[in-house]
Amino acid sequence: MKLVDLPRSSAKTAGQPPALGAIGWPTALTALSLGWLALVLLYLSDVRTIAHTWYTVGTYAHGLVVYPVSAWLIWRQRQALMLQAPQPYLPAVLVLGLLSLIWLLGHLTNMQTLREFAFVASVPVLAWAVLGSAVARIIFFALAMTMFAWPVGEFFVPTMIDYTADFTVAALRLSGVPVYREGNFFVIPTGSWSVVEGCSGIRYLIASVYGGAIFAYLNFRDWRRRLPFMIAAIIMPIVANWLRAYIIVMLGHLSDNRIAAGVDHLVYGWVFFGIVILALFYVGSRFSDVHGSKSKATGIAPAPAATGATFAVLTLLAVVLAGIGPGVALALQRMTPVHDGAVIVHLPSSGSGWTAGAPPFSDWEPRIETPTFSAQTAYVRSDQTVGMFVAYYRNQQTGGKMLTYASTSLADYSVKGWRTTERRVLPVVSPDHSMQVIERRMHSQGQNLISWQWYWAGRQNTAGFWEGKLAEVKGKLAGLGDDAATIVLSAPFTDDPEQARAALRAFLAEMGPAIESSLNDAAAQ
């Protein structure tokens, strides 16, 4: 045996971690960086959408710091990482393939949030695949925190609005303030208030959970301390938002609406939330069990390093599997007839005694995200009047798709002063066909309306959000494209809502086939 083959050590090097280059880190990090770059290119449109959301939507502004913070958390573990040799982990590569299929599902259903989830989740999974399980265990928390880059949480808004309104109204009544409530709108002696999206508290909740998770990780080692703190980080912003809403209404009430009645109540809300979250962190710091401890090198020899070829092959395989979804989407796009996006829906002009072009009977309009084409008119027959609104979509994408939170809510909260007091799914049966519609009962300043809404996707009618998504998938797979429409009928009434329902039922039974024909003609353009 030659002298150069013997391990070298000295009093200075004994017990220290091996050098970075000795255990394959440069090769592994190069492969990982190239893999991440390939992911960004594969999902480039989604990356742009995510970044735009971070910059423009305050609720998700924390996304701007998610990756830098995770990088810092990984850097804190550098001594422990130096003791490990990166070892590619093949099962994690299969997870990338599964995420790619989730992306494809999001593409087929026009659910941008699924596409964004697939990309955001692929970032830590690729690190797991390239670096291996031993390394991933060390930086598990930092990798998991990258999931906060996913701008999600909008579906919590309706529920959080309802609970905020419940608490505010109950607290006002306990304070001796008389309240008349209608849905999420309520009236007190000094004015009218409403709980809208900005009052839901979702941004407080997300900020608290993200900041609280990092605080718990840095200050606690025992899960018996981390878990109660995280529970508090979830509950406190919700309760704080309820108190914030109550305090703002009381400030407006007691000051005769001179304060906290405009934009300034948002400022008060953030100040109040800041005080609450600082109090949470202060209390948590009193129970810290870290005591300045740091990770120390153990001197355990690392496992043999993988070869450069192994890293290259596994990274290439990971990119190929991640590209399944975008590849299939591109193939389907080439198989689908090309539409230039231009479309016109010709609403039925008359039929069964109904005549189009009647004067509008209200200023209510559905709150629907930007369609490719929209049209509305009113029909009259004898003493019955029905309004019809059609929003048609083609080549759907973010900012212009049919099934979204905004389009499905219509006027559930506030549109031009209109208030939705009741919402339900109603079956409508006629001699020719039966279907379901979303019925809303609304009123504003003495006017009352009943509206019926349904979706047309994949050449079929549905009233359900998920049924509509499934119909869109079937339409795309059948080569019909993504043409879809939402149809809204409305009718006025004075005292009895059955008066409006009778007009809507008669109109749909007699004009339904003509509406269907108009939509099919538009799809053929």
Side-chain angles (χ1 to χ4, degrees), residues 267-448:
V267 177
Y268 298 153
W270 275 111
V271 171
F272 181 71
F273 172 73
I275 294 173
V276 169
I277 203 69
L278 286 176
L280 175 66
F281 288 170
Y282 174 76
V283 173
S285 66
R286 307 295 293 178
F287 295 92
S288 174
D289 59 0
V290 175
H291 304 303
S293 62
K294 297 182 180 179
S295 299
K296 296 182 180 179
T298 61
I300 300 176
T307 64
T310 303
F311 285 115
V313 171
L314 181 131
T315 304
L316 180 61
L317 178 60
V319 171
V320 169
L321 290 180
I324 290 176
V328 173
L330 181 61
L332 289 174
Q333 182 179 348
R334 292 179 175 178
M335 293 167 53
T336 303
V338 178
H339 292 295
D340 61 4
V343 64
I344 297 177
V345 180
H346 298 283
L347 301 182
S349 58
S350 61
S352 302
W354 294 94
T355 302
F361 50 83
S362 77
D363 62 349
W364 177 77
E365 292 180 357
R367 184 177 69 172
I368 291 180
E369 194 167 331
T370 308
T372 306
F373 175 87
S374 65
Q376 61 180 330
T377 188
Y379 295 82
V380 62
R381 184 183 70 174
S382 184
D383 61 343
Q384 294 180 320
T385 304
V386 171
M388 182 167 73
F389 178 91
V390 173
Y392 197 94
Y393 294 85
R394 173 173 288 173
N395 300 332
Q396 299 184 55
Q397 57 186 343
T398 301
K401 57 183 178 179
M402 182 179 69
L403 289 167
T404 65
Y405 164 70
S407 66
T408 55
S409 66
L410 287 185
D412 284 356
Y413 299 108
S414 177
V415 176
K416 293 185 177 180
W418 285 88
R419 304 174 183 179
T420 298
T421 59
E422 184 181 356
R423 183 185 189 278
R424 63 172 178 164
V425 175
L426 180 73
V428 179
V429 180
S430 66
D432 296 330
H433 68 287
S434 62
M435 59 184 294
Q436 289 187 322
V437 297
I438 304 169
E439 180 184 277
R440 292 177 175 84
R441 181 173 175 176
M442 301 168 291
H443 84 269
S444 173
Q445 299 179 348
Q447 302 179 75
N448 298 286

Side-chain angles (χ1 to χ4, degrees), residues 69-158:
V69 168
S70 288
W72 173 72
L73 292 172
I74 293 173
W75 179 252
R76 294 181 74 251
Q77 299 293 327
R78 61 190 181 278
Q79 285 190 331
L81 292 173
M82 294 271 285
L83 295 175
Q84 296 295 331
Q87 291 286 342
Y89 186 59
L90 184 59
V93 176
L94 303 179
V95 178
L96 285 170
L98 176 60
L99 291 172
S100 185
L101 294 178
I102 292 175
W103 182 95
L104 180 60
L105 177 62
H107 170 77
L108 293 174
T109 58
N110 291 315
M111 294 186 67
Q112 182 64 31
T113 188
L114 279 184
R115 293 171 46 149
E116 293 172 355
F117 166 79
F119 168 74
V120 172
S122 293
V123 172
V125 171
L126 182 61
W128 176 27
V130 174
L131 303 180
S133 295
V135 172
R137 278 193 292 269
I138 297 173
I139 58 174
F140 173 78
F141 178 79
L143 294 177
M145 291 302 290
T146 63
M147 291 305 300
F148 278 91
W150 182 28
V152 68
E154 190 179 59
F155 57 89
F156 287 121
V157 170

